[in-house]
Amino acid sequence: MSNAAIVDHNVPPGEPPHIHHMDTPTAYGAAKLGMWLFLATEILLFAVMFCSFAIMRYYHLHEFHEASHHLDLRAGALNTAILLFSSYTAAVAVTKAQMGDNRGVVKNFTYSLLCGFGFLIVKSYEYTHKAHEGMFPFVWNSDFYHYKNFLGLYFCMTGLHALHVIIGMAIMFWYGIRPARNNRFSGKYYTPVELSALYWHLVDLIWIYLFPLLYLVG
């Protein structure tokens, strides 16, 4: 492949050809390296929280042990299964993009998006249930106030993760589904799909650590 940008003529009628500047080996490698560096900063962000959780658990072991039993293990397990399946469909979307199957990209990223919505619905149910019991910030019940250290970290970590889920969904739609509807991807140009899937895999990986840390710590 030459170092010149490749013109994509597979565009809707009436639109000018699109020039993809990430089709060259150098640009593709730079884009992927940039994404990995960004993901490293995200891992560092959550690593700080994981370390904070470990330290607080060391000093408040009994509280963390008791408080973890008030979390809905079934909801957490369901969300784990949902995200694992969404990672599979995101990986399939990358394969479809490499094959030039734009309909496959739309189909599989749509599955991942639906899984993301499902995850947020389950998490909303958990938050609503905790608020009803008085285990939510600003509506603390005096019976659960002594769990404030565990619950504070729980809502901070899961809330930040939920925000990343929303961002990941937006990325998959904007850089994956939207251009795939216009047949923009081919075996020579699929970088946005691959990078979107990489970000989504990180979101799933973080939850794989959060689930046992929060729900199974007791």
Side-chain angles (χ1 to χ4, degrees), residues 13-195:
E15 292 190 16
H18 293 269
I19 300 178
H20 303 303
H21 297 281
M22 288 193 294
D23 284 331
T24 68
T26 301
Y28 170 77
K32 200 165 184 179
L33 176 61
M35 175 55 76
W36 278 112
L37 291 175
F38 172 72
L39 296 182
T41 64
E42 293 287 278
I43 292 173
L44 288 174
L45 171 63
F46 280 93
V48 171
M49 293 191 172
F50 291 148
C51 290
S52 300
F53 186 93
I55 294 171
M56 292 298 290
R57 184 176 184 273
Y58 176 80
Y59 286 105
H60 306 278
L61 181 60
H62 180 71
E63 173 194 339
F64 277 51
H65 175 77
E66 294 295 327
S68 66
H69 293 304
H70 291 278
L71 299 182
D72 193 333
L73 180 59
R74 291 175 297 180
L78 175 60
N79 265 345
T80 302
I82 289 174
L83 286 186
L84 286 175
F85 178 74
S86 72
S87 265
Y88 167 74
T89 54
V92 173
V94 176
T95 301
K96 295 296 184 181
Q98 293 171 337
M99 297 169 57
D101 183 0
N102 285 268
R103 293 184 61 184
V105 174
V106 173
K107 177 181 176 181
N108 285 279
F109 263 170
T110 299
Y111 288 153
S112 295
L113 279 180
L114 292 175
C115 287
F117 280 117
F119 177 91
L120 294 174
I121 290 172
V122 174
K123 185 54 62 181
S124 297
Y125 162 78
E126 285 190 84
Y127 281 5
T128 302
H129 185 65
K130 291 294 176 291
H132 180 73
E133 290 185 335
M135 299 176 66
F136 196 78
F138 309 114
V139 291
W140 292 116
N141 186 310
S142 58
D143 295 333
F144 300 108
Y145 186 73
H146 53 286
Y147 295 151
K148 63 182 180 300
N149 294 308
F150 176 87
L151 292 174
L153 284 170
Y154 166 79
F155 287 116
C156 182
M157 297 169 77
T158 58
L160 183 61
H161 177 263
L163 175 62
H164 280 72
V165 170
I166 295 173
I167 294 173
M169 293 167 61
I171 290 174
M172 284 191 294
F173 174 77
W174 192 257
Y175 294 105
I177 293 176
R178 190 179 63 90
R181 286 176 175 173
N182 294 323
N183 296 317
R184 299 291 172 83
F185 302 120
S186 66
K188 294 181 179 180
Y189 178 66
Y190 54 86
T191 306
V193 177
E194 185 172 1
L195 299 186

